[in-house]
Amino acid sequence: MKLLLALLVGGLFAAGIYLIVRRSIVKLIMGLILLSHGANLLIFASGGLVRAQAPLVEPGALTPETPHADPVPQALILTAIVIGFGVVAFMMVLVSRAYRAVGTDDTDEFTGTDH
Amino acid sequence: MNALPILPVLIPLGTACLGMLGHRSLRAQQTVSIAGAVALALAAVALVARTATGEILTMDAGGWSAPFGITFVADAFGAIMVLLAAVTGLAVVVYSVASVDLPRKRFLYYPLTHVLLAGVCGAFLTGDIFNLYVCFEILLLSSFVLLSLGSERGQLEGAIKYVTLNLISSAIFLSAAGLLYGTLGTLNMAHLSVRAAEAVAEGNGNAVTIVAMLFMVSFGIKAAVFPLFFWLPASYHTPPFAVSALFAGLLTKVGVYAIVRVFTLIFVHDTGYTHTILLWVAALTMVSGVLGAAAQTEFRRVLSFHIISQIGYMILGVALLTPLAVAGTVFYIVHHIVVKANLFLVAGVAHRIRGTSDLGRAGRVGVYASAPLVAILFMIPAMSLAGVPPLSGFWAKLILIRAALDERAYVYVAVALLVGIMTLFSMTKIWAEAFWKSPEEKEGDPPTKADRTPMGMLAPIAALAGITVAIGLAAQPVFEFSVLAAGQLLNPEVYVGAALGEAFVTPLQGGVEP
């Protein structure tokens, strides 16, 4: 399972970077989305993969029953997904506005202010 | 509970909310915005006054004690950074009233500025590495909108490059934070410092160093160091001048702050590897920035490349990692934020007077001929940037070069001096082309009263120039404060003791004897 997740994370990063270095701004967004998914899965994997219970504390007890899953990585991922969602929504609007302003989705043409 | 360490985050957030509520009335927005910026500055002054005694203030958010909850920690370095952010924010907000166009202002320009300030202050004060990521995202998202607000073609082109490279940096940061949690099992920065020391003692140092390099790349993109700086000169010259000034003053410095924080608090065990790389990066950043500036002919692009070369000086101090060198970095940041924001503000006034920012073209009128005061107000930050005594930049460079001499790092001394001279060359180029030169024939009408620069634009420039001169003439208190901050940075157990309690301080922890 760990190997599978590692391969998946690596694949997502590779695909994301490949798409980012393409010249199309639409593929650029896709690449950034894949990159953030890769990062999220990486947190999940590095938090430790165990078959365990939910980390809930029974009434009267002070600690959850062991073995229990670590809730922190999942909280981090949840936060990162929400932030990533907002960023991607903004990026979509930005790209569509830029497409209308420049008239092409070829990033090589985005040089209007480079002297 | 002591709420002071979180006030610099709450005040701008509250101001932004009030501004959004009053979005129909521009006058209300401006009043709220200026009042909020003043309140932030007052809170920052209080914070600096408290930390100047050597005290480290902490606050556990929601009453969850460290290392489980999110802790806000204000040490001397964090406090002085908040003060600088507040001063820059106030200057930019006042400048914006007279300079930013109406459509932008109506589109929540002021609330966005305050959200950005909240993110910046949060980054300076948080004691939790994941919270640092969240603060980065807050300031990034508002900077994305501020950068593209107005939707001019140049802005959108610049924004795409800026957004893409910053999102890549965020993805790397997120991965690094996840791996760090996987390796050390905590996110509290003080606790990370303890755990990293333990991991190294157990022979697990390589894993920590790998994560350290991920952080270096991520923060390096944000700080615009060599070879990761390309987003900066591609975007900083496109938005309104007030926005450029805010970005130039604060955003890259958040990256520098993060580098200083993690490479003095957490990753100090393999300095022969990590800090040697930082040394190389510092020298190459200085040189490539100043050479890039020499090739530019647009006012703000020249200044943008100078941000990069100046970042090199700050990184040099962390890389040397001696008390004097780190004090030099703190002093340099203090000097640099004030000066750089001011130069971009002056660039706005010069653009307004000349009608162009192109240094190769003769403008409508020479700035010196029509507005000598503006020309003098440019001279002060420009000469300070180049390091001409007795202005603030001279002392900042002097401390760093002295620290490098003590370490017998003569190559870096030579680079720093050479880059200083080339900065002077760049500044005189701007002076000669934009300020001194008058067009041969005056076209059109002579400037009328309406063309005069409004006081609202001149006042913040004069105030920042005043601060530059004051730091130059009274360098001793600022230097003493920098030494205090450096002492806390180089002795992580002080920070750990304040954030977690003395029980967590272990003899394993590194730390350089002062």
Side-chain angles (χ1 to χ4, degrees), chain A residues 13 28 32 39-40 42-43 46 70 72-73 76 79-80 83 87 90-91 94 97 101-102 109-114, chain B residues 130 133 137 144-145 148 151 153-154 156-157 159-161 163-164 167-168 171 174-175 178-179 181-182 187 237 301:
Chain A
F13 270 100
L28 179 71
L32 287 171
N40 289 342
L42 181 66
I43 298 177
S46 70
D70 187 351
V72 175
L76 302 186
T79 315
I83 292 173
V87 169
F90 174 78
M91 190 79 191
L94 178 65
R97 290 301 289 267
V102 183
E109 303 295 320
F110 283 59
T111 53
T113 62
D114 296 347
Chain B
F130 193 78
Y133 165 77
E137 292 300 311
F144 293 166
V145 184
S148 47
S151 293
R153 179 179 166 167
L156 293 170
E157 290 179 358
I160 290 226
K161 296 163 195 169
V163 171
T164 305
L167 288 185
I168 293 174
L174 195 57
S175 311
L179 287 173
Y181 181 76
L187 291 165
H237 62 294
R301 277 175 76 88

Side-chain angles (χ1 to χ4, degrees), chain B residues 441-458:
Chain B
E441 296 163 34
K442 285 224 168 85
E443 289 169 27
D445 307 319
T448 57
K449 209 168 182 185
D451 283 347
R452 235 186 248 163
T453 314
M455 268 316 286
M457 286 168 85
L458 280 185

Side-chain angles (χ1 to χ4, degrees), chain B residues 266-288:
Chain B
I266 306 171
F267 306 119
V268 284
H269 307 287
D270 198 0
T271 51
Y273 183 70
T274 50
H275 289 66
T276 307
I277 295 180
L278 280 178
L279 259 185
W280 279 89
V281 164
L284 289 168
T285 307
M286 283 192 255
V287 172
S288 54

Side-chain angles (χ1 to χ4, degrees), chain B residues 300-354:
Chain B
R300 278 192 283 178
R301 277 175 76 88
V302 175
L303 294 179
S304 296
F305 273 101
H306 276 296
I307 300 179
I308 297 165
S309 85
Q310 305 280 310
I311 296 291
Y313 284 95
M314 301 169 202
I315 303 296
L316 178 65
V318 202
L320 290 170
L321 207 68
T322 64
L324 188 63
V326 177
T329 294
V330 177
F331 197 111
Y332 210 104
I333 296 176
V334 174
H335 138 74
H336 174 88
I337 290 182
V338 174
V339 161
K340 204 78 224 187
N342 203 9
L343 280 172
F344 275 84
L345 295 181
V346 179
V349 176
H351 180 91
R352 194 188 142 94
I353 294 173
R354 295 176 70 225

Side-chain angles (χ1 to χ4, degrees), chain B residues 413-499:
Chain B
V413 172
V415 169
L417 289 172
L418 199 68
V419 169
I421 293 171
M422 294 191 60
T423 309
L424 192 60
F425 158 74
S426 257
M427 291 300 125
T428 45
K429 181 172 85 179
I430 295 178
W431 168 261
E433 298 297 333
F435 289 87
W436 189 251
K437 226 180 236 178
S438 285
E440 305 270 314
E441 296 163 34
K442 285 224 168 85
E443 289 169 27
D445 307 319
T448 57
K449 209 168 182 185
D451 283 347
R452 235 186 248 163
T453 314
M455 268 316 286
M457 286 168 85
L458 280 185
I461 295 174
L464 290 181
I467 294 175
T468 306
V469 174
I471 296 176
L473 295 180
Q476 184 65 18
V478 185
F479 177 64
E480 276 167 10
F481 193 88
S482 307
V483 171
L484 171 74
Q488 290 176 349
L489 286 170
L490 288 175
N491 294 289
E493 64 272 11
V494 181
Y495 186 95
V496 173

